[in-house]
Amino acid sequence: MLDINLKNLRKDAKYKLQKGAKVLSLTLASVALFSTLATPVEAAAIDPTLTTTTVYASTTTASVRVVDIVDTTIGTNITLPQVTEKIYTDSKYDYYLYSPKSQFIVVKYSNGAQKNIRQALNDGDITIKTLEKYGIRVYKEKIATITSVVDNSKKPGVSVPQVTEKIYEDDKNEYYLPTKKSTLIIVTYSNGTQKNIKEALNDGDITIKTLQDTYGIRIITQKKATITGVVDRTNGRYLPQTLEKIYEDDKNEYYFNVPKSPYVFVKFSNGTEKNIKDALRDGDITISQLQNVYGYRLTIKPRTFGIVSVVDNSTKPGVYVPQVIEKIYSDGENNYYFSTQKSSLVIVTYTNGTQKNIKQALKDGDLTIGDLQLTYGISVTAEKVDAKNNYYRPGELYKAPDGSYWTSKKEYIDWVNSQEKGYQYRK
């Protein structure tokens, strides 16, 4: 935002503020208005005559502004639960809708793009005041503060295992309770909610120092152990010449060339040891370290997963989908499109429980357009890469009465008149 020094401006005249090669003419009212705005997009939305390029003296030639915010549930039969939905948080307040409908409230931009309000708020395109300007009802609550931390393990008759329990770690240290009681140490907030101590620490609500100094919780601090070496204790044992998988990540599986993991240990600076498979699983050591630092030769295989399902969630009741075409894939010869902007709602689920949206799955080569259409019954439109419509962005197409999309209304009328099929996208 422009940093305007009001002390250098007289109150009763128009002023010019020069920034680089641009000269902006602003009244005092304009200065006051724009000094309260949070984002360039919002500035242009409130006064369309002042684009983001003008107000912010940007070198960018393009200008995008918010042109409307629409609650698409109005006038429909969509039924929403009578519970609130948090949509934003700043340094002082949490902001809520009166019902969980953020996905149905659409922010529209001058370039035809759309976002739901949570995304637009988080991206800084709009503020809570913008929502109020467009008639979206929001209420706020002060961010909850901690009112007490109570160790219920001290109550009569309560028994806890007499073993230490790790509750937190940072870059340098690990922190332990002297007994296993984290679920019994309860943090209570000013809004009446509660969390156990591990949850509160991991959510950043409270610090180790506060627990110790303010609430008297006894915590044991240990320096994080560092790796001092990796020892192989096969000691000439005969091992069969078969691969043994020791780890896998999102892309690959990693194998010892012989099944020797029971004899390979990671040694730490505190004198402890851990089996290599456990150390990899716990993140104590990486595959890169094992190979490049400690010289272990591994066999690497790409992971392969079967697809369990491909589900189009855009067909579920009450789900709003922008009615513009969306390109989801290109094989160099053809571009492939959905008739609506729904790729984030078409979900591929794999045998290992992971999921991807359809664009990512196609990009990664997990399935083909043919699979999508023939096996899973999801309709896709193909266009030659050099086809005329390839040069038009979603949002710039004309939707005809029969549901087809055209580069212009004239093109559709010409086709109707000539009875010749032109370039089109059908729903």
Side-chain angles (χ1 to χ4, degrees):
M1 187 177 296
L2 287 178
D3 184 10
I4 300 173
N5 187 346
L6 293 179
K7 290 183 179 179
N8 296 330
L9 301 179
R10 295 199 332 246
K11 294 183 179 180
D12 55 350
K14 287 188 175 181
Y15 305 99
K16 291 184 178 179
L17 173 65
Q18 183 164 350
K19 188 174 180 71
K22 287 185 177 291
V23 177
L24 310 182
S25 295
L26 303 176
T27 64
L28 184 64
S30 299
V31 171
L33 170 64
F34 288 107
S35 67
T36 64
L37 296 177
T39 67
V41 171
E42 186 181 1
I46 291 178
D47 187 351
T49 64
L50 293 171
T51 67
T52 55
T53 302
T54 305
V55 174
Y56 289 83
S58 170
T59 57
T60 304
T61 56
S63 173
V64 179
R65 64 180 186 272
V66 173
V67 295
D68 202 2
I69 301 178
V70 180
D71 182 350
T72 62
T73 66
I74 296 175
T76 69
N77 59 357
I78 294 174
T79 302
L80 297 168
Q82 295 305 301
V83 293
T84 61
E85 178 189 10
K86 186 165 82 171
I87 57 169
Y88 190 65
T89 298
D90 60 23
S91 59
K92 293 183 179 180
Y93 297 99
D94 291 326
Y95 297 90
Y96 297 82
L97 295 175
Y98 288 86
S99 57
K101 60 178 180 178
S102 64
Q103 64 175 313
F104 303 114
I105 302 178
V106 180
V107 180
K108 297 184 178 182
Y109 297 83
S110 56
N111 66 346
Q114 296 182 350
K115 296 180 185 178
N116 67 49
I117 57 169
R118 291 184 70 167
Q119 185 179 355
L121 284 165
N122 289 327
D123 291 348
D125 299 344
I126 60 173
T127 67
I128 295 297
K129 286 186 177 180
T130 315
L131 293 179
E132 294 170 349
K133 173 181 179 289
Y134 284 95
I136 308 299
R137 294 179 61 224
V138 176
Y139 80 92
K140 64 184 181 182
E141 288 184 354
K142 279 190 176 181
I143 293 176
T145 56
I146 293 173
T147 56
S148 67
V149 178
V150 177
D151 184 352
N152 293 294
S153 72
K154 296 180 179 180
K155 292 183 177 180
V158 176
S159 175
V160 295
Q162 297 301 300
V163 293
T164 59
E165 179 186 9
K166 181 178 169 182
I167 56 170
Y168 190 65
E169 67 176 61
D170 55 27
D171 292 339
K172 295 182 178 179
N173 300 309
E174 295 177 337
Y175 302 92
Y176 296 80
L177 294 174
T179 56
K180 194 170 182 179
K181 60 177 181 178
S182 66
T183 56
L184 296 171
I185 301 179
I186 302 302
V187 181
T188 302
Y189 298 81
S190 55
N191 63 357
T193 60
Q194 294 182 325
K195 297 179 184 178
N196 69 48
I197 191 175
K198 287 179 74 171
E199 293 170 334
L201 284 166
N202 289 324
D203 291 346
D205 300 341
I206 198 167
T207 65
I208 292 291
K209 183 173 175 59
T210 302
L211 286 171
Q212 291 174 312
D213 297 349
T214 304
Y215 297 103
I217 305 297
R218 185 181 166 219
I219 295 172
I220 301 167
T221 303
Q222 289 185 359
K223 281 190 176 180
K224 265 190 171 177
T226 56
I227 296 175
T228 58
V230 178
V231 58
D232 185 340
R233 297 197 178 107
T234 52
N235 296 327
R237 286 181 174 86
Y238 170 77
L239 297 171
Q241 298 300 302
T242 57
L243 297 177
E244 179 194 14
K245 188 167 81 171
I246 59 169
Y247 187 67
E248 65 183 19
D249 57 25
D250 291 340
K251 294 184 178 180
N252 299 308
E253 296 176 340
Y254 303 90
Y255 296 80
F256 279 151
N257 294 317
V258 292
K260 64 178 181 178
S261 69
Y263 311 107
V264 180
F265 293 86
V266 178
K267 300 181 70 174
F268 297 92
S269 56
N270 62 359
T272 60
E273 294 183 351
K274 190 180 286 190
N275 178 267
I276 185 63
K277 291 175 78 170
D278 294 334
L280 285 165
R281 179 200 64 208
D282 295 343
D284 300 322
I285 192 171
T286 66
I287 289 292
S288 178
Q289 288 175 308
L290 192 61
Q291 292 176 302
N292 301 324
V293 177
Y294 298 104
Y296 279 79
R297 295 179 62 189
L298 304 176
T299 295
I300 303 173
K301 295 182 178 182
R303 290 185 74 179
T304 55
F305 303 118
I307 293 176
V308 176
S309 64
V310 179
V311 178
D312 184 354
N313 293 293
S314 72
T315 61
K316 293 183 176 179
V319 176
Y320 170 79
V321 182
Q323 297 300 300
V324 293
I325 65 168
E326 179 186 15
K327 179 179 166 184
I328 60 168
Y329 186 66
S330 178
D331 58 13
E333 182 178 351
N334 292 299
N335 292 328
Y336 299 92
Y337 298 84
F338 281 150
S339 60
T340 58
Q341 201 169 48
K342 65 176 183 178
S343 67
S344 62
L345 296 169
V346 180
I347 303 300
V348 181
T349 301
Y350 298 83
T351 51
N352 68 338
T354 59
Q355 293 183 323
K356 297 179 186 178
N357 69 47
I358 189 62
K359 285 179 76 171
Q360 189 64 50
L362 287 166
K363 180 182 177 182
D364 293 345
D366 300 342
L367 79 170
T368 66
I369 291 292
D371 295 330
L372 192 60
Q373 293 178 303
L374 301 176
T375 305
Y376 300 103
I378 295 178
S379 179
V380 176
T381 300
E383 286 288 338
K384 292 288 186 185
V385 168
D386 60 352
K388 187 175 181 181
N389 280 349
N390 186 52
Y391 300 99
Y392 288 81
R393 296 190 299 272
E396 294 181 340
L397 299 175
Y398 168 71
K399 184 178 179 181
D402 66 355
S404 60
Y405 286 85
W406 302 79
T407 56
S408 67
K409 184 175 182 179
K410 180 179 182 300
E411 185 182 51
Y412 171 72
I413 294 172
D414 289 343
W415 175 80
V416 171
N417 292 337
S418 66
Q419 298 290 301
E420 293 179 0
K421 194 171 184 180
Y423 294 100
Q424 61 181 303
Y425 300 98
R426 291 196 176 273
K427 288 187 66 178

